[in-house]
Amino acid sequence: MTTLIEPETVHSARDIATEAEQIALFLDFDGTLVEIAPSPEDVQLDRRVAPALESLRSQLGGALALVSGRPIAFLDEMLAPYRFDIAGLHGAQIRMGGELRSQSAPPEHMRETLRDLARFANSHVGIIVEDKRISAALHWRLAPELKDEALDLMRKAAAKLGPGVRLQEGKSVAELVPAGASKGGAIAWLMATPAYAGHRPVFIGDDITDEDGFETVNAMGGLSIRIGADRESLATIRLASPTALRHILLEAAENGGLTASSFSQN
């Protein structure tokens, strides 16, 4: 189970009123900042994005975080030399202000499960196992005909691991994650800290894994933005692609003034 360290006391009512028009920006990674790639290792980040995010973080008074299924270490590598607040592994890890504030323990018997998944991958071309230590993902993007078989295996693995684990399905992937971790929960926790409190939350994602984040920011009166239009979503705004999002972020980083309307006008 994820254990969160209690955030500091939030801003005073006066501070909140002063910052009421400023947003807190939460960004997914795969399918949002980068295009979905055939395998997890193949993603390419536009070299302009990381410095743009650094500029936007300064504009927003520090209220910018990545909220992703990727581990923190991977995101740090992709965004180097910059280090951002990050909720990784669907909220199973949270780092804020350079300090790891929470991290779930690996589920019991996860190593055995990973061996079972590896055997399946070794006997089926196009199946990829991603070992994230705290979680485990099975990808079938390169073998779409194996979706049903892969999902059945993951559902059985989740049942075997017990109530401490939930199955998170996404685009051509299923992941075993700690039951207490969620992107929505991570956003809610960050919004209760001084750097984010009083800001209007904006969360941008592209997948089923982002829906609980959309639900959370909607309940807070924030803005939920989904990349792509291929299915129904709780998101209130759509952007066509990661390219469309990058255009907004890069322009705002150069010219300043990133607000909720920056997204709704596109």
Side-chain angles (χ1 to χ4, degrees):
M1 179 177 294
T2 304
T3 301
L4 297 180
I5 301 171
E6 288 298 320
E8 299 90 343
T9 303
V10 299
H11 287 175
S12 68
R14 182 176 181 179
D15 290 336
I16 290 173
T18 301
E19 298 177 353
E21 298 303 317
Q22 195 168 43
I23 65 170
L25 185 60
F26 301 100
L27 296 158
D28 179 36
F29 186 76
D30 292 278
T32 300
L33 288 179
V34 298
E35 301 285 351
I36 295 291
S39 68
E41 296 80 14
D42 293 335
V43 295
Q44 298 290 327
L45 180 66
D46 187 315
R47 61 180 177 79
R48 300 171 295 172
V49 168
L53 293 181
E54 178 67 15
S55 175
L56 292 172
R57 173 167 61 177
S58 178
Q59 291 181 31
L60 299 175
L64 184 151
L66 277 77
V67 182
S68 170
R70 295 281 197 167
I72 289 174
F74 173 85
L75 295 170
D76 280 346
E77 181 178 350
M78 294 297 295
L79 295 160
Y82 307 100
R83 287 170 64 88
F84 298 93
D85 291 348
I86 296 176
L89 299 180
H90 306 281
Q93 301 174 315
I94 298 179
R95 184 184 69 205
M96 183 181 173
E99 178 185 353
L100 187 64
R101 305 299 298 272
S102 73
Q103 179 161 289
S104 300
E108 190 177 3
H109 305 305
M110 179 62 86
R111 304 314 301 173
E112 298 172 24
T113 298
L114 279 164
R115 285 194 289 269
D116 292 339
L117 299 182
R119 282 193 288 270
F120 180 73
N122 289 338
S123 60
H124 295 83
V125 176
I127 295 292
I128 298 171
V129 177
E130 192 178 4
D131 179 3
K132 303 182 185 181
R133 306 300 178 186
I134 297 172
S135 66
L138 192 68
H139 299 260
W140 57 85
R141 183 170 300 278
L142 298 175
E145 72 281 2
L146 294 173
K147 174 183 176 179
D148 291 343
E149 193 172 351
L151 269 175
D152 182 62
L153 175 63
M154 291 296 276
R155 287 166 180 158
K156 289 177 179 176
K160 184 177 179 181
L161 287 169
V165 169
R166 66 179 175 85
L167 183 62
Q168 176 70 69
E169 297 182 26
K171 293 177 179 176
S172 301
V173 62
E175 187 166 353
L176 300 164
V177 301
S182 73
K183 291 185 177 182
I187 290 171
W189 187 88
L190 286 165
M191 285 296 298
T193 65
Y196 294 83
H199 294 59
R200 185 184 183 194
V202 174
F203 176 47
I204 308 174
D206 74 303
D207 203 351
I208 300 170
T209 63
D210 300 308
E211 290 296 325
D212 69 302
F214 297 151
E215 183 177 16
T216 294
V217 300
N218 288 345
M220 293 179 172
L223 193 64
S224 53
I225 303 170
R226 186 176 185 276
I227 305 295
D230 56 322
R231 63 171 178 79
E232 292 185 3
S233 173
L234 294 172
T236 55
I237 288 179
R238 303 280 185 141
L239 291 176
S241 66
T243 300
L245 173 62
R246 285 196 299 274
H247 175 76
I248 294 170
L249 298 179
L250 292 172
E251 183 177 27
E254 182 176 353
N255 300 320
L258 184 69
T259 65
S261 63
S262 303
F263 305 100
S264 59
Q265 292 174 357
N266 286 269

